[in-house]
């Protein structure tokens, strides 16, 4: 048996490192137990692309909690952004739109297709941003209960699909499709009730002081992981890599210890889990501890996800020649993506998927020396296609390259390396009810002293670290006063 | 779910006896509501004996080697401690400690339990069983005939069955060519038989009970007897909980059926749910109020009523209620109806008369 700690944290992802750093700074004795040999989460390990080692995904950040950046002094520790706010360039067969923070530039671009949409877009964004700001009270602002109008707004959005929201707002397919890409997250169909909350959640985020911005961290994903690790270790967190937790010992309805695969007990008053709710409650707890109804609900697996294809190129793609610093979104029609979602849910690679391409090396050439790194996010895709992913990877590459080639004819010949980060199978199924839930409900579990601090505790899975900060607050309160 | 009406193994005999053609449906089974006079049937249990068809009651079999572990987590009492052929009354709760069901859990053998209750809840058992690698399956359809009344011992003896059974136990036996099970799980005895043997079992009991004034009784008479004896039945006395929320153990005054020392589903929420209330009987001066009517004492709400019926034996409406605190034997107002709270059972069925009373030898 190990020495007892105040808090044992399962997994060393961004959320759990954040929680550990906060708790250790507050004086708690914290140990982080990471099953793999690399701490920092999926983005911390480099990826091999054509023999070149490039930083792991994600290439961009859109939801990082500014309070975490400030409290843990991440900027001082080296977290810098090479681009603070990427504009969105929508590429379609016949048109190209740019949606920028500059409202005049955006209006001018949209006016090529529709004057009504050009006028309407600014109003739409303003309304969405205002509604989204109010919903922060629900999603993460501790101590600020959402007011009546926010609750009513939440109910409205909880019933509204992203497709219906965009259909009502705009007349041109190009604008709907461009705005709709951000609603293709978390495996929810843009036509399902409540999917408009995804757009609101995205709009509620603040990156680099700008609401709804998308930023590129200098040095890529590993920079965030290394700064968090530094913060955690300076605060006194003990990190144990290569340490797999096999179960959580529960006695009298409260956690007592993390039990390692080696059989070792790590006694702890609080356990934070960076794993999915499903993995935490179904795999680590005794069957009855999580509650029968809860476990039955968790048996519904997530079926739709997204993949990221990393390409190294010896030339900048044609579509990015004029303006390489942008998110290039390729969605022909929003209704086609809705159909694609259905195909993905049935385990098929969709006929027509949506792409988002970003070139991190355009702003940070040091990421991949003398080469262009292209990160392409593909949505929606089946988490477990029929026959398994190995038999579909070549087909996926071919179809993505084909699609990109419409806007960059010389792309195929410029590819020097390819790799793919497949849809994650370890994530929980996200529902509109989950996104609309209060933050304490998302972090809490049925077992006293056990909280979630990773993607599972976020309204929408993303690199945010916010769940870690909030889990630390809950854990501190529990250590001090016990269960409420 | 099938909406077809099903016949119990005793239906043919029940139909022949049901001259007034009064039927009702429970759990999809067609059953006699009464055989002409509800009051007489309810009173007959006090002066002679009645037999009631309970085959409609849902029965769920829990099996596989992990069934004891599963059952001990499923129910609010550790039924894995039961010996084979023993039974216990228990509740099962949802995650929020809402009462999904009340029933009798019988241990048939080392790895098999049967749950008998008024609400089946098979999907809940089945989903939960997966987590323990156990199995839950429906066993409803077997014949179950209750024999209630103080002549029941004598009737069984006359029929050639040994009635010497402790309460909450059962015995499997071979009865003149039939495999039957005799149990004491409810108000009297229950005779379980194979579906095909229903008519034979009925006829044998009728023949044996003829000299003891045995008569068939319908479901309404059984409801009255249960209420007089303080038996709470989900669906009649309260609406059972679903996936979440619902009435808690404390709301129903059923804390006696909970052993919080052992872990079970919903225990954490049960512990948070507050102080226990008390299940009491209510005797109303005039008409019985609707269920969930507040019970008021000196202007303060002190509880609420559950199900209520007219008791022929007491010649007034009776019911069940839950008191938040305080002792029974007090005057209350339920809605606008004056009533009195009394300890349960309200009016127990007289104990069975033993078949033979041995006279002890005179002292020397």
């Amino acid at each position: 048996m190990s020495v007892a700690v105040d808090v044992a944290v399962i997994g060393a992802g961004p959320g759990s490192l954040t929680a550990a750093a906060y708790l250790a700074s507050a004086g708690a004795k914290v140990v982080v137990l990471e099953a793999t040999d690399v701490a920092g989460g999926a983005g911390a390990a480099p990826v091999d692309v054509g023999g070149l080692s490039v930083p792991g995904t994600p290439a961009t950040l859109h939801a990082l909690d500014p309070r975490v950046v400030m409290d843990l002094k991440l900027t001082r520790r080296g977290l810098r952004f090479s681009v603070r706010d990427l504009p969105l360039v929508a590429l379609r067969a016949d048109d190209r739109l740019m949606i920028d923070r500059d409202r005049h530039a955006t209006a001018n671009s949209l006016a090529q297709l529709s004057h009504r949409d050009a006028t309407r877009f600014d109003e739409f964004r303003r309304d969405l941003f205002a509604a989204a700001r109010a919903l922060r009270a629900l999603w993460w602002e501790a101590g600020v209960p959402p007011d009546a109008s926010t609750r009513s707004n939440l109910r409205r959005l909880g019933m509204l699909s992203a497709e219906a929201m965009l259909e009502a707002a705009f007349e041109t397919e190009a604008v709907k499709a461009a705005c709709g890409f951000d609603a293709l997250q978390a495996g929810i169909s843009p036509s399902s009730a409540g999917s408009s909350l995804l757009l609101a959640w995205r709009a509620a985020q603040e990156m680099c002081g700008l609401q709804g911005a998308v930023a590129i961290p200098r040095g890529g994903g590993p920079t965030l992981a290394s700064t968090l690790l530094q913060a955690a270790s300076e605060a006194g967190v003990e990190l144990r890599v290569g340490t797999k937790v096999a179960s959580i010992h529960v006695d009298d309805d409260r956690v007592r210890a993390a039990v390692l695969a080696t059989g070792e007990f790590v006694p702890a008053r609080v356990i934070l889990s960076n794993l999915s709710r499903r993995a935490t409650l179904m795999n680590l707890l005794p069957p009855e501890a999580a509650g029968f109804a809860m476990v039955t609900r968790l048996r519904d697996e997530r079926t739709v996800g997204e993949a990221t294809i990393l390409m190294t190129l010896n030339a900048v793609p044609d579509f990015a020649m004029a303006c390489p610093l942008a998110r290039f979104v390729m969605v022909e029609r929003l209704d086609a993506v809705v159909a694609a979602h259905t195909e993905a849910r049935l385990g098929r690679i969709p006929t027509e998927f949506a792409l988002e391409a970003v070139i991190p090396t355009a702003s940070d050439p040091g990421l991949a020396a003398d080469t262009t790194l292209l990160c392409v996010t593909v949505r929606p895709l089946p988490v477990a296609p029929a026959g398994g992913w190995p038999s579909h990877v070549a087909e996926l590459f071919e179809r993505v390259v084909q699609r990109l080639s419409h806007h960059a004819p010389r792309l195929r010949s410029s590819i020097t390396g390819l790799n793919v980060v497949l849809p994650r199978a370890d994530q929980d199924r996200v529902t509109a009810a989950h996104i609309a839930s209060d933050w304490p409900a998302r972090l809490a579990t049925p077992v006293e002293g056990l909280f979630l601090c990773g993607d599972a505790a976020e309204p929408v899975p993303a690199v945010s670290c916010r769940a870690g900060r909030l889990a630390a607050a809950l854990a501190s309160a529990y250590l001090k006063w016990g269960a409420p | 779910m099938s909406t077809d009406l099903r016949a119990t193994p005793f239906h043919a005999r029940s139909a022949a006896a049901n001259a007034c053609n009064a039927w009702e449906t429970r759990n999809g089974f067609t059953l006699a509501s009464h055989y002409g006079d509800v009051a007489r049937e309810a009173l007959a249990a006090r002066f002679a004996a009645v037999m009631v068809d309970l085959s409609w009651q849902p029965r769920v079999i829990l099996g596989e080697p992990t069934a004891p572990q599963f059952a001990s987590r499923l129910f609010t009492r550790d039924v894995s401690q039961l010996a084979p052929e023993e039974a216990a009354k228990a509740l099962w709760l949802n995650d929020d400690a809402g009462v999904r069901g009340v029933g009798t859990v019988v241990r048939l053998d080392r790895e098999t339990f049967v749950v008998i209750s008024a609400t089946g809840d098979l999907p809940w058992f089945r989903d939960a069983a997966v987590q323990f690698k156990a199995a839950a399956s429906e066993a409803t359809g077997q014949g179950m005939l209750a024999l209630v009344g103080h002549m029941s011992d004598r009737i069984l003896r006359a029929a050639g069955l040994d009635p010497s059974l402790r309460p909450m136990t059962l015995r499997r036996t071979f009865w003149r060519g039939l495999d039957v099970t005799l149990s004491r799980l409810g108000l009297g005895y229950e005779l379980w038989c194979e579906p095909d043997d229903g008519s034979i079992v009925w006829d044998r009991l009728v023949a044996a009970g003829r000299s003891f004034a045995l008569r068939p009784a319908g479901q309404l008479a059984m409801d009255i007897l249960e209420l007089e004896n303080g038996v709470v039945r989900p669906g009649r006395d309260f609406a059972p909980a679903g996936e979440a929320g619902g009435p808690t153990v404390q709301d129903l005054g059923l804390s006696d059926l909970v052993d919080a020392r052992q872990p079970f589903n919903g225990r954490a929420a049960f512990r948070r749910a507050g102080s226990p209330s008390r299940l009491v009987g209510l005797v109303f001066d005039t008409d019985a109020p609707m269920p969930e009517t507040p019970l008021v004492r000196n202007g303060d709400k002190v509880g609420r009523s559950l199900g209520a019926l007219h008791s022929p034996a007491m010649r007034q409406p009776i019911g069940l209620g839950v008191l938040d605190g305080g002792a029974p034997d007090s005057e209350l107002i339920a809605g606008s109806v004056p009533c009195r709270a009394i300890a349960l059972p309200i009016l127990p069925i007289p104990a069975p008369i033993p078949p033979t009373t041995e006279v002890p030898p005179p002292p020397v």
Side-chain angles (χ1 to χ4, degrees), chain A residues 250-254 281-282 286-297 299 445-448 483-484, chain B residues 69-70 73-74 93-95 124 126-132 243-244 260 263-268 271-272:
Chain A
V250 177
D251 181 32
D252 209 18
D253 300 324
R254 89 177 54 154
L281 301 186
M282 284 181 71
E288 78 283 359
F292 292 172
M294 168 73 83
V295 173
T296 303
R297 277 198 299 276
R299 274 199 219 117
T445 69
V447 179
E448 209 180 300
Chain B
Q69 189 198 354
F70 170 46
R73 297 296 186 267
L74 177 62
L93 314 180
N94 64 21
D95 299 3
W124 175 261
R126 201 174 265 163
D127 282 342
V130 173
Q131 298 163 40
F132 291 83
E243 289 287 299
F264 55 82
N265 193 60
R267 184 176 72 166
R271 285 174 163 175
R272 287 194 298 268

Side-chain angles (χ1 to χ4, degrees), chain A residues 223-250:
Chain A
T223 311
L224 176 64
S226 67
T227 52
L228 286 171
L229 272 171
Q230 198 185 338
S233 82
E234 277 180 25
V237 173
E238 182 193 351
L239 175 66
R240 292 175 64 178
V241 292
T243 308
K244 186 174 166 53
V245 175
S247 64
I248 294 172
H249 178 59
V250 177

Side-chain angles (χ1 to χ4, degrees), chain A residues 319-342:
Chain A
F319 57 75
M321 282 295 192
C323 165
L325 288 176
R327 305 161 59 202
F328 299 96
V329 169
M330 295 164 216
V331 185
E332 283 298 318
R333 296 178 61 83
L334 191 56
D335 53 5
V337 183
V338 172
H341 191 278
T342 308

